[in-house]
Amino acid sequence: MKRVLLRNKLSGRMKPVIVFAICIILLLLWLVLRSFREEPVPPSAEQMHAEVEAWLTTGDQQHLLAPQQPIPLLQSERTSSSPLEATITINPERTYQTMDGFGAAMTGSSAHLMNQLPQEQREQLLHDLFTSEGLNLDMVRHTIGASDYSVDASGAPASYTYDDVESGTDYTMEHFSIDQDRELVDMLQQVTHLKPHMKIMGTPWTAPAWMKYGEKTLHGWYLNYEDPQVYEAYAQYFVRYIQAYQDKGLPIYGITLQNEPGFTSPNYPSMSMGAEEQAHFIRDYLGPALKKAELDTRIITYDHNWDEGVEYTNQVLGDKQAATYIDGSAFHCYAGDPSAMSEVHDRFPDKSIYFTECSGGDWSPDFGENLSWQMSNLMIGAPRNWAQSVLLWNIALDPQGGPTNGGCENCRGVVTIDPESGKVDKNAEYYALGHISKFVRPGAVRVDSNQEQGKLENVAFRNPGGTLVMVAVNTGEEDTSFKVVMDGTEFHYSLPAKSAVTFRWKT
């Protein structure tokens, strides 16, 4: 009995001790679990050694699309808190348009100049422009017939179409021929030998003179709207052109209906085509003709400056029957600003946006200013406003901005070829284009990134293989330090004034 009483007495005294011990154990266990939860997961070996590639072009030309030392890609919580002037945040989950490609126009003048180079130099230039070791261009625009940059075999100015007759009409296209494009076709075949999947876009500056109302000239006026046979014949003119180029091994990816349809000149091939007329032509003639011929070439409307693009495309794409045949609209840079393309996209979100022409020239001789403007408005501004292509004007011109066929006398090509010495100079346009064409592949998707307009501007993409590419330009007068943040990682960079940089990294 005494033992039982003693055991009970001891048991009663031990209970508080046991409870206290259990509490201590639970507290220690909670602290241990909390420490595991708050301790960040250590980065993998691959993440610890991740790097960002960079290529730089500076306004003083000390760096020209030059590779830089790799930049460490850091875990955000492990970086220092040193102040930076800007933060660019990339959200790869928010996506926009899919890119078609980048390039320039292979005009008759460009093809002639390139063809005059000795074979070794010509092959090197084509290599620099169209292979992955160079700019890696994957899209070219060419003129259907002559433009203000067309020449004959001797280099003399030449105005022509594919169906010129001395008098009368040719509704059945009996005189149709692309023979005057021989030099151009040969150059495009050399290009597609290097880049078999090259996208070729064609644009007429004018219809044959016999199709015109009023004066029968290649330089100005408009189609004879009083004669329906003219529209039927012009639709077949496009069909025959596409088929003729296909027969040469040059499939046509897309066509625009008329270069700068709101402008004509008495000095070179040109023609006006109002929005209502263009919708009518596509709806009743061209669209059905391409469909009947089983051609999948894209029909693209407008092809003129930003400033009048909203009104024009509103009329054409607003015609629901015509719109069934139309892939999208194309824009030039010579008036207005890139935001017009976003407005057109917002009105017609199921239609593509293309940027198809811009030229530099002697009116802006400073390399840094040219680089900044082109990066801001074209290489960055166009994709940020839904353009799925960026194409410049002449891929090559001579030191005098020629040879011309009555057009601009002080324009500049992507490269300048001196026909006397054979020297090839790469202009600001070359490096601006290279900052995007070399790294952003067809099929890449633009992804979301913030920017401060007029200072540090950028655009970002995810390539089909998964790599991320960001293109940035500092348009200001001072160097700018910034960081790029994405998915818990970041990297830091300082970009000189009037300079451009491209970053590429794996995710």
Side-chain angles (χ1 to χ4, degrees), residues 97 99 102 306 331 333 337-343 353-355 371-390 432 436 446 451 453-454 456-461 471-473 475:
Q97 76 274 28
M99 304 305 295
F102 307 92
W306 289 315
F331 296 84
C333 75
D337 65 77
S339 65
M341 297 184 290
S342 281
E343 188 170 347
I353 300 287
Y354 299 88
F355 181 80
L371 179 72
S372 295
W373 190 93
Q374 290 168 28
M375 294 301 300
S376 172
N377 290 277
L378 310 183
M379 308 310 157
I380 293 172
R384 287 194 75 96
N385 286 281
W386 293 95
Q388 58 195 56
S389 71
V390 178
I436 196 165
R446 181 167 73 88
Q451 74 165 1
Q453 185 74 26
L456 186 64
E457 302 178 31
N458 73 88
V459 65
F461 305 88
V471 183
V473 63
T475 59

Side-chain angles (χ1 to χ4, degrees), residues 198-237:
M198 175 66 62
K199 295 182 179 76
I200 301 173
M201 183 179 290
T203 300
W205 263 237
T206 181
W210 62 266
M211 295 187 184
K212 301 278 186 77
Y213 181 88
E215 185 179 350
K216 306 305 180 184
T217 176
L218 297 179
H219 297 183
W221 291 79
Y222 42 87
L223 290 172
N224 185 358
Y225 61 90
E226 295 180 343
D227 185 356
Q229 290 185 89
V230 164
Y231 289 103
E232 292 174 2
Y234 198 36
Q236 288 306 310
Y237 180 88

Side-chain angles (χ1 to χ4, degrees), residues 28 124 132 192 197 201 265 283 287 295 326 334 342 346 388 427 434 440 451 456-457 497:
L28 291 172
Q124 182 60 53
S132 59
T192 55
H197 301 294
M201 183 179 290
S265 171
R283 180 189 66 233
L295 297 171
I326 299 170
Y334 306 113
S342 281
D346 292 345
Q388 58 195 56
N427 298 317
V440 180
Q451 74 165 1
L456 186 64
E457 302 178 31

Side-chain angles (χ1 to χ4, degrees), residues 62-77:
Q62 293 302 303
H63 300 271
L64 296 171
L65 204 56
Q68 305 299 292
Q69 287 294 321
I71 306 163
L73 184 62
L74 308 169
Q75 298 299 301
S76 293
E77 64 270 18

